[in-house]
Each structure stands twice: as C-alpha cells, then as structure tokens.
Amino acid sequence: MIPDVNRIASASAKYPKPSPDFRPAYGTAGFRCNASLLGSTMFRCGLLTAVRAAVLGRHCGLMITASHNPEADNGVKIVEPSGEMLPQVCY
C-alpha cells in the first residue's frame, strides 16, 4: 500500500510544532516534556510507529507515559515488537 502523502501532510498540519526550533530529545523516558507541547510529537510518533510496523511486518506500539513528577510532565515511547522501547540509536 502506498501512503497518500497529501493526506499525511494535511493531517500533520493539524499538529504543528509549538515553535520552529522545538526538538524534544528521545531518551530513556521516551519523548518527555510538558504535555501541552506533545501534540506534534505524538502525531509524528504515530506515523513512525505505523511505518516501522509495516516495514518489520510486526506489531509495534506507543506508550503514553506519566510519572511521579507534576501532572503536566508526560511523555511517549515507541515500543518494539519485542516489547522493549525503540532504541535511542537505530542501526
């Protein structure tokens, strides 16, 4: 199946980055920051996860994370078919 690039671009426009220089880091806690800033990151993680699952031919997933920190401190992790978090560096 060939993705419809125009539909993806249209959907992506609904989730703009909070600022042009917004680049959340992917660490051991996944992408973690104030929840109000995560919309664009969540959307793009969903796309990446769907493409990764299609390429691998296996299920992948997203995990929405919360912590013992303040309520707004949240994150998202990409989960591999093995159940582990997508490595910070993929080869």
Side-chain angles (χ1 to χ4, degrees), residues 2-25:
I2 299 173
D4 184 336
V5 176
N6 292 327
R7 285 183 62 195
I8 293 171
S10 176
S12 182
K14 296 175 185 176
Y15 301 95
K17 290 174 26 175
S19 67
D21 59 336
F22 179 71
R23 300 208 189 296

Side-chain angles (χ1 to χ4, degrees), residues 69-83:
N69 295 319
E71 184 177 321
D73 186 10
N74 293 295
V76 58
K77 293 180 180 184
I78 299 171
V79 182
E80 292 282 76
S82 65

Side-chain angles (χ1 to χ4, degrees), residues 49-68:
T49 301
V51 170
R52 189 149 178 81
V55 168
L56 295 175
R58 299 189 58 205
H59 295 287
C60 295
L62 291 178
M63 180 187 305
I64 311 304
T65 65
S67 70
H68 60 277

